[in-house]
Amino acid sequence: MHFVFGGAFTGKRKWVKQQYASESIKWHCLYEDPVLPAIEFVESYIVLEGFEHYVKELIHSELEAPHLVVKKVIQKWRDSGVWEQLIVIGTEVGKGIVPLDPIERQWRDECGYAYQHLAAHAQKVDHIWYGIANRLKEEIQ
């Protein structure tokens, strides 16, 4: 799994498209539909863009702590053999002024926990700022 994160409008989408230009990709925008798709692999890679919106949807579902759901999702992806084909893009929401709204604060915290899980288990982690990548992690297979 390749985890790509950075601030809003910093070039994450463009960077991923450039890095995987020669690959077949299925793109799922969580901004438009914040539900994880059933992952079926006809294409080489699946991009999940807007992971922070999936986390926000989990908060509103009130089933269990979103970061615990994300841990289970990660394990499901790993067990199902799709792990190496995933590219997850998330916008950093934890910097700046702490929101007054309790739900917004919870979202900020849960995104931080979820991103920690993603980064810990990812094979590659890139931080994108102004279209420039800073590789934070790369596991050699």
Side-chain angles (χ1 to χ4, degrees), residues 18-38:
Q18 288 173 343
Q19 294 302 304
Y20 291 90
S22 65
E23 304 292 340
S24 175
I25 294 178
K26 181 176 181 182
W27 202 278
H28 183 79
C29 183
L30 294 163
Y31 297 121
E32 297 168 6
D33 181 10
V35 177
L36 291 179

Side-chain angles (χ1 to χ4, degrees), residues 28-47:
H28 183 79
C29 183
L30 294 163
Y31 297 121
E32 297 168 6
D33 181 10
V35 177
L36 291 179
I39 298 180
E40 301 166 359
F41 283 92
V42 176
E43 292 79 16
S44 298
Y45 291 94
I46 288 187
V47 174

Side-chain angles (χ1 to χ4, degrees), residues 79-114:
D79 292 344
S80 68
V82 299
W83 187 245
E84 293 184 16
Q85 285 80 24
L86 287 172
I87 303 161
V88 177
I89 302 174
T91 296
E92 173 59 57
V93 296
K95 294 182 180 176
I97 298 171
V98 177
L100 291 174
D101 182 291
I103 297 296
E104 292 295 312
R105 280 196 312 273
Q106 182 184 8
W107 178 46
R108 174 187 167 116
D109 292 347
E110 291 293 344
C111 275
Y113 298 138

Side-chain angles (χ1 to χ4, degrees), residues 9-23:
F9 306 103
T10 57
K12 299 178 298 292
R13 177 186 307 139
K14 181 179 178 183
W15 185 84
V16 167
K17 286 181 177 182
Q18 288 173 343
Q19 294 302 304
Y20 291 90
S22 65
E23 304 292 340

